[in-house]
Amino acid sequence: MNRRSRLRTRDVLAIMSAVLAVLAGLYFGARWLENESASPEPRGDYQLRNADTLLTVNGHTYQQRSNLTTILFMGIDQSENPVTVPAYLKYVSGGQADFLRLMVIDPLEKTVAQIEIDRDTMTPITVLGTLGGKVGYRTAQICLSHGFGDGREQSCGFTVEAVSNLLYNVPITYYAAMNLDGISALNDMLGGVTVTLADDFSHIDPAMTKGTTLTLVGDQAEIFVRSRMSVGVGTNEARMTRQRQYVGKMMELLNDRLHSSSDFIGTLFDGLSPYLCTNLSRAQMVNEAWAIKDYTRLPLTSIDGVHAVGDDGYMQFRPDESSLEQAILDVFYKKLK
């Protein structure tokens, strides 16, 4: 064997050794993560079972509500046509779930409850390895749960799983995720949502000055509900306050449109389909919306907790366990005595 052939052989062996070392590192790293976080830690004893389940908490007896319909609504921080990413990063290209709200419909009591979930809530989320396989769980901001997966059904499934686990494993039957481009489309199909601006957005849109009452049109809706770092105090907590205001006004318009036209929800579903990922069919969406149009809307349920910057430099929200427990009791149980 001549010198050039020996060099080529050594080069091939070196490359093969390097590849094997990387693969071994990925495998054992994934196995370590899997062993370290095989499943999320249980949060409490409020898992829903059946309508006969009774709980005694602080001297009060609660009975589990039955026949509930749960729908998780997500606002995804990603456009309709996201920037193309390399194939080897597809497993982490889902975008973050910046808006999370669980709707709980009780057909027996004829009520609609909603639980607001902070995007920075720390809870176990599913983690995928570099080859795209599920390797375990990691406690992180709940918004990141959607970032793993395909950006569609798989990512939505991971977010549903994370929210269910956060809320003591309550079952979540349906989900509807809408990306950024859908915000303005939804707003304009409703004829524009009118809000009073408590912050100044004029550096983004000159018409959006602090104190102005404005009917949002086009991109203004996205600016209002999504802007954070460059507006006011720049926190997600402040942005959630704006989102509450916007969604409240939007629901009023939606309910008015539904009462005036039974076809409106179907038209809305068709118009938003390019921006939606949902396991609700068109017929299911229309039927659910029509069924609840005269239901009582209960006050929004929020979860108390502490915001603080974590060791990684990013904001974290640690929910107060007693507040979390009370939210479960208020929405999924009824007090008997």
Side-chain angles (χ1 to χ4, degrees), residues 183-184 187 193-199 201 204-205 208 212 214 216 218-228 231 238-247 249:
I183 299 173
S184 297
N187 179 83
V193 175
T194 301
V195 296
T196 299
L197 307 181
D199 294 303
F201 300 82
I204 306 173
D205 185 321
M208 299 179 69
T212 300
L214 183 68
L216 304 173
D219 292 341
Q220 290 176 336
E222 181 182 332
I223 292 170
F224 183 77
V225 302
R226 183 173 174 245
S227 300
R228 178 168 60 111
V231 176
R239 178 170 62 177
M240 286 176 69
T241 299
R242 295 200 307 273
Q243 290 173 346
R244 269 180 234 126
Q245 179 188 5
Y246 182 86
V247 173
K249 297 289 186 180

Side-chain angles (χ1 to χ4, degrees), residues 260-279:
S260 62
S261 171
S262 59
D263 297 327
F264 180 70
I265 292 298
T267 301
L268 189 66
F269 185 89
D270 294 339
L272 294 178
S273 288
Y275 318 108
L276 284 177
C277 179
T278 180
N279 62 348

Side-chain angles (χ1 to χ4, degrees), residues 85-147:
V85 297
Y88 64 87
L89 289 179
K90 287 290 186 182
Y91 74 102
V92 287
S93 60
Q96 297 181 13
D98 270 359
F99 174 85
L100 290 167
R101 186 172 291 193
L102 183 66
M103 177 180 286
V104 182
I105 302 169
D106 186 338
L108 300 180
E109 299 290 334
K110 299 189 182 305
T111 60
V112 178
Q114 297 182 65
I115 302 177
E116 179 184 56
I117 299 167
D118 192 308
R119 73 182 293 280
D120 294 323
T121 301
M122 300 299 288
T123 194
I125 65 171
T126 295
V127 175
L128 301 185
T130 53
L131 301 181
K134 185 175 178 180
V135 296
Y137 297 87
R138 180 186 65 180
T139 296
Q141 289 87 346
I142 200 168
C143 63
L144 301 179
S145 58
H146 193 277

Side-chain angles (χ1 to χ4, degrees), residues 125-171:
I125 65 171
T126 295
V127 175
L128 301 185
T130 53
L131 301 181
K134 185 175 178 180
V135 296
Y137 297 87
R138 180 186 65 180
T139 296
Q141 289 87 346
I142 200 168
C143 63
L144 301 179
S145 58
H146 193 277
F148 288 97
D150 58 1
R152 299 287 298 171
E153 289 79 7
Q154 186 184 32
S155 296
C156 288
F158 291 149
T159 305
V160 166
E161 179 186 46
V163 172
S164 175
N165 176 67
L166 172 70
L167 300 178
Y168 295 16
N169 295 322
V170 300

